[in-house]
Structure formats: C-alpha cells, structure tokens
Amino acid sequence: MNKYKLLGLGMLLDAIGMVSFVIPGFGEFTDIVWAPISALLMTKLYDGKAGKVAGVITLIEEGLPGLDIIPTFTIMWFYTYVFSAQKSYNKA
C-alpha cells in the first residue's frame, strides 16, 4: 500500500477511535468493541515486532477511558516512515 494512502487510512482509523468522545456513556461501550478491532488492524497494517507492539499499545489506548484522543495509527505511521527512515538514512 502506498505510504500516503496508509497515512490517510490511519487518520481515518484514529478518527473512528475518537468518535466515542462525541457520545458520552455510549462511547465507553464502543471502546470495548473498537479496542480489539483497532489492535488487529494495527498489526495487519504494520509488520514485525513494531506492528505487534503498536497493536498492544492501541489495544490499551482504545480500551482505557479518556485516552482515545491519542492518534496511535498516525503516530505509528510517523514512526515507520519518518523517524525510522531517518535512522536508517543516518546509518548509510
């Protein structure tokens, strides 16, 4: 998948995770459903150990009340394509 399409998808998934803030009371129930789905999606979108760690972080972030504001999919994209890319560029 194109890295910019992946960024757009990640931003969409982050927005879906933040929807629970809009509906007080009902939102906490949706987090119980969304947390494992988002964790699975994270591990499918990003391979390897980093994807698995991000999946666990996403599960915790979406499962705990009040943390939905953290854009974990977008942060993972920046980690993968900006920070890790700079690290490997500096090694060359």
Side-chain angles (χ1 to χ4, degrees):
M1 177 181 289
N2 177 312
K3 68 180 185 178
Y4 296 109
K5 287 182 182 179
L6 186 59
L7 175 61
L9 178 60
M11 292 171 75
L12 174 67
L13 293 171
D14 284 331
I16 291 170
M18 291 178 193
V19 166
S20 65
F21 274 142
V22 178
I23 310 167
F26 182 70
E28 285 73 27
F29 172 73
T30 61
D31 284 343
I32 293 170
V33 175
W34 176 244
I37 294 171
S38 65
L40 179 65
L41 289 170
M42 183 69 84
T43 60
K44 297 295 181 186
L45 292 174
Y46 296 98
D47 295 330
K49 184 178 179 181
K52 290 176 185 174
V53 170
V56 170
I57 291 170
T58 302
L59 179 69
I60 294 167
E61 179 259 325
E62 291 293 343
L64 292 176
L67 296 180
D68 294 343
I69 196 77
I70 301 170
T72 48
F73 284 94
T74 305
I75 291 169
M76 184 59 181
W77 185 90
F78 275 97
Y79 171 78
T80 302
Y81 292 105
V82 176
F83 301 119
S84 291
Q86 286 179 352
K87 192 185 299 182
S88 55
Y89 177 74
N90 290 334
K91 287 183 181 179

